Amino acid sequence: MDLANCLAATQQYQQAADSFDVAFQEALTFVEPVDPQQQYRRILLAAQLQQQDALNSQLASLLKEAASSSEFSLCYHAALAAVTVPNANTDWKMVQSMADRAIKLQDAPNTQNVRAFILVRSQQYPLAVKTLNERLQLSPTEPNPTIRTFLAIATHHNGDTVAARVIL
């Protein structure tokens, strides 16, 4: 997987995707679990390469694996993948449940951010605005651009387009 990560870092996306696929197959051959972070990275590569079938199958596989898991990395990376590359079939209640489990296992800022982003993706805009504003207050001198972007989206959908523009 190190080779795949190096290839992705040098923007050799197709070679990186191929390397991930080989590593995943080797892991399955030896009945070893595939690291959820590596699965997430392969999903991002599928999105970058516009490999819709691979993206959908890998995302579905990761979400299925995480559906009843109590492992932090699996729950976190599955929820993160769903937020990053959502599709029309995403079960947001299930993804919220994964994020909630991840928070119970490791209540870290990134985990809380993913939970807040899920609120936007699942169209829970009033709660998303409240939660994202709280997230911004935690580090007002270093505002996270991703949080600001999701906050602007939620604020816009909440009906305040002027405030959404100011946020950006």
Side-chain angles (χ1 to χ4, degrees), residues 3-168:
L3 174 62
N5 289 319
C6 290
L7 290 167
T10 59
Q11 298 181 356
Q12 298 176 58
Y13 301 124
Q14 185 59 58
Q15 294 90 333
D18 294 344
S19 182
F20 270 119
D21 292 343
V22 167
F24 291 167
Q25 286 305 317
E26 289 174 356
L28 291 174
T29 300
F30 295 104
V31 194
E32 295 176 6
V34 178
D35 179 39
Q37 184 177 26
Q38 302 306 329
Q39 291 180 57
Y40 169 71
R41 289 178 178 164
R42 179 58 182 96
I43 289 167
L44 293 181
L45 282 169
Q48 171 69 26
L49 294 168
Q50 299 179 355
Q51 298 172 333
Q52 199 61 44
D53 291 340
L55 173 63
N56 289 337
S57 69
Q58 291 166 5
L59 180 59
S61 175
L62 183 58
L63 290 172
K64 182 179 178 183
E65 189 178 345
S68 60
S69 176
S70 60
E71 179 189 339
F72 168 76
S73 184
L74 187 54
C75 292
Y76 172 76
H77 285 97
L80 180 60
V83 166
T84 306
V85 288
N87 64 37
N89 301 321
T90 302
D91 178 349
W92 290 111
K93 288 186 183 211
M94 180 181 71
V95 175
Q96 279 183 300
S97 175
M98 288 174 204
D100 290 341
R101 274 183 275 137
I103 289 169
K104 285 180 185 174
L105 295 165
Q106 185 175 324
D107 190 1
N110 285 346
T111 312
Q112 289 284 346
N113 290 345
V114 168
R115 176 66 169 90
F117 301 156
I118 291 167
L119 294 172
V120 176
R121 293 288 194 197
S122 62
Q123 302 177 2
Q124 297 178 54
Y125 301 121
L127 184 55
V129 168
K130 177 183 179 292
T131 304
L132 290 163
N133 272 315
E134 290 170 358
R135 301 297 312 142
L136 279 179
Q137 297 307 313
L138 295 176
S139 58
T141 58
E142 291 185 36
N144 181 320
T146 308
I147 292 174
R148 295 183 71 78
T149 302
F150 273 91
L151 178 58
I153 292 167
T155 301
H156 174 81
H157 283 288
N158 221 23
D160 195 344
T161 56
V162 173
R165 287 188 192 109
V166 170
I167 291 166
L168 292 174

